[in-house]
Amino acid sequence: MLERVIDQKAAHLKASKYLALALGVFCSLSTATDWQSDASQSELSYAVSFEQLPLNGQFKEFSVDYTPRQKLRVVVDISSVDMGNSDINDAIRDADWFDIKQHSQAVFFSDNINAVGEGEFMAKGTLQLKGINKPVSVPFSWTPSSSTSSISIPATSTKEPTRAAKMSGKLTLSRSDFAIGSQEWASGDQIGIDVSVSFDVQMLKNVAE
Amino acid sequence: MMTIRNTESQWGWPSKLLHWLTAVVILIQIPLGFYAEELKLSPLKLDLFVWHKSIGMVILLLAIERLLWRMTGTIPAAIDSSAIQRRLAQLAHATLYGLMIALPISGWITTSAANIPTKLFWLIELPAITGPDEALKSLAAEVHEICVILLIVILVVHIGAALRHHFILRDSILKRMWF
């Protein structure tokens, strides 16, 4: 009986310890990045040549977390890919292409971000795509907007905080670096090897403080 | 003697040339389309469809050119046959022209609605005539398929009739389309 009470107490203590730990992790995460993407106003698209003409695709689900000049983390739900054609959408989910069953997520992480011009930055980091890690440099522009239409700022406010910014950029990736379109597609004759990736992301400042 | 324009008794050489050119490309195009459709997605399938679409546009241009040539000139008179035979022949020829236009157009709509970019012969970009639309794509593909089956039936009749005229009736109908 006594033993059981002690056990319960110990379990309770243990649980609260985990809770505190979890809270701590949560807090450090939430302060780790202070800007987050607004999914409804963001776009991540790409173009690849298809029998010598560009064919566009996009990832409908992705998120960007950013701490200016410190950390950039992009998580892409690969299974949200859409190329505007049901046959192609089915095909690119197969093992030769994105292999969605095995690799449903792509992650880009950088903690090496440098200004390269007025409002222009370069994030050097690692892209994990289809389970393959490669160093990738992502150039982007960062354009703060003084206010957003979605957040109304009271007229009495003495200073208008910057709460929204546009993060845009374009880079070229080689699909063969990530074994996307392997086997018979590897030559690039029908579907090009170079993939032009563009992003136009609405970033919102975390207003938890 | 070869004439340019068609006359009351014979076809001019442009009509003959365009007729046989159409015959050759259609006889390549039909099996090509069925074969490419059956293939599983592969680089070969994509390449064969580029050929199929390219040849299809050639057929469309040939059909338009031939129709204009007919309408601005004349065609040889029908040979001795019953009125009903002449009506049937007219109907068959009108259907052939209709299909030579409907097939490329329905294919063009299919590829446009399917959001597939097309560069004819890897040279000329074919503009999309509709935006991406899954329902329209299925409908146009269905029309395309019905049209090709109809085309095969009419071609069997067309070729069969020409052979019958030449080998059984022994009249000049095939000869006057020959060079």
Side-chain angles (χ1 to χ4, degrees):
Chain A
M1 183 68 188
L2 186 67
E3 248 174 15
R4 199 188 258 173
V5 170
I6 289 171
D7 265 3
Q8 269 179 355
K9 217 164 187 177
H12 185 74
L13 261 176
K14 220 171 168 182
S16 45
K17 212 167 139 189
Y18 278 124
L19 186 65
L21 193 68
L23 265 174
V25 169
F26 178 73
C27 291
S28 67
L29 271 182
S30 68
T31 53
T33 61
D34 50 10
W35 289 81
Q36 274 154 2
S37 52
D38 174 1
S40 65
Q41 293 182 73
S42 298
E43 239 181 61
L44 174 60
S45 57
Y46 61 89
V48 62
S49 86
F50 179 101
E51 293 288 7
Q52 303 182 5
L53 285 173
L55 183 62
N56 298 313
Q58 58 165 327
F59 295 101
K60 289 178 166 173
E61 306 286 336
F62 69 99
S63 64
V64 181
D65 291 276
Y66 179 53
T67 301
R69 303 194 185 203
Q70 289 177 42
K71 272 182 208 170
L72 173 63
R73 185 178 160 86
V74 182
V75 178
V76 182
D77 177 3
I78 298 294
S79 64
S80 72
V81 68
D82 180 21
M83 298 195 80
N85 173 293
S86 56
D87 294 333
I88 293 178
N89 281 350
D90 287 344
I92 56 177
R93 283 166 168 74
D94 285 351
D96 278 357
W97 294 95
F98 284 118
D99 197 8
I100 300 248
K101 271 189 197 139
Q102 304 293 319
H103 309 287
S104 63
Q105 259 192 3
V107 179
F108 173 77
F109 180 78
S110 166
D111 56 5
N112 179 3
I113 299 159
N114 294 298
V116 290
E118 183 66 36
E120 302 285 330
F121 301 88
M122 179 69 82
K124 289 180 181 167
T126 302
L127 174 62
Q128 184 184 73
L129 178 56
K130 207 181 177 182
I132 295 169
N133 289 296
K134 291 273 174 182
V136 165
S137 293
V138 178
F140 66 91
S141 65
W142 179 263
T143 317
S145 30
S146 54
S147 66
T148 63
S149 53
S150 57
I151 302 167
S152 60
I153 294 156
T156 51
S157 178
T158 46
K159 56 177 182 178
E160 288 192 357
T162 301
R163 283 177 165 162
K166 263 285 182 244
M167 190 180 208
S168 317
K170 199 170 184 172
L171 65 146
T172 301
L173 294 175
S174 159
R175 66 175 174 85
S176 47
D177 281 354
F178 299 93
I180 292 167
S182 48
Q183 310 292 329
E184 57 185 354
W185 301 98
S187 77
D189 289 342
Q190 290 77 23
I191 310 293
I193 299 294
D194 284 344
V195 180
S196 169
V197 179
S198 316
F199 54 93
D200 193 18
V201 184
Q202 175 80 357
M203 297 296 289
L204 296 177
K205 184 149 184 152
N206 197 346
V207 285
E209 66 258 56
Chain B
M1 195 194 88
M2 294 275 248
T3 56
I4 292 181
R5 297 305 308 213
N6 303 329
T7 67
E8 272 297 303
S9 59
Q10 64 174 337
W11 294 98
W13 66 263
S15 285
K16 293 178 181 178
L17 183 69
L18 294 176
H19 169 268
W20 291 108
L21 202 55
T22 304
V24 169
V25 288
I26 286 181
L27 290 181
I28 294 169
Q29 180 75 335
I30 295 174
L32 174 60
F34 279 107
Y35 177 66
E37 176 60 31
E38 283 305 307
L39 280 180
K40 74 162 194 64
L41 188 61
S42 62
L44 177 65
K45 180 170 183 147
L46 299 189
D47 284 350
L48 290 184
F49 267 118
V50 174
W51 282 111
H52 186 69
K53 293 177 221 182
S54 307
I55 293 172
M57 287 302 128
V58 168
I59 293 171
L60 179 63
L61 289 179
L62 281 170
I64 292 169
E65 166 63 18
R66 290 174 70 195
L67 274 176
L68 289 175
W69 192 248
R70 269 177 93 110
M71 290 189 309
T72 56
T74 180
I75 60 164
I79 56 145
D80 281 347
S81 54
S82 67
I84 183 112
Q85 265 188 310
R86 281 202 293 273
R87 292 293 303 172
L88 283 173
Q90 264 177 5
L91 183 66
H93 292 141
T95 312
L96 279 175
Y97 274 107
L99 291 170
M100 285 189 291
I101 289 169
L103 272 158
I105 300 276
S106 59
W108 192 354
I109 294 172
T110 305
T111 195
S112 301
N115 196 32
I116 302 288
T118 304
K119 208 172 193 179
L120 303 174
F121 298 108
W122 293 275
L123 282 174
I124 307 152
E125 185 174 351
L126 180 71
I129 41 175
T130 72
D133 185 335
E134 283 285 332
L136 181 61
K137 179 196 109 182
S138 305
L139 178 71
E142 200 72 35
V143 169
H144 197 67
E145 220 177 300
I146 292 165
C147 283
V148 77
I149 289 163
L150 192 57
L151 178 64
I152 291 168
V153 171
I154 308 266
L155 279 182
V156 167
V157 173
H158 179 73
I159 295 164
L163 295 177
R164 178 172 171 267
H165 278 280
H166 187 68
F167 289 112
I168 297 170
L169 303 176
R170 307 228 164 181
D171 58 28
S172 62
I173 226 153
L174 185 59
K175 262 188 224 150
R176 75 182 186 184
M177 187 48 100
W178 199 246
F179 294 96

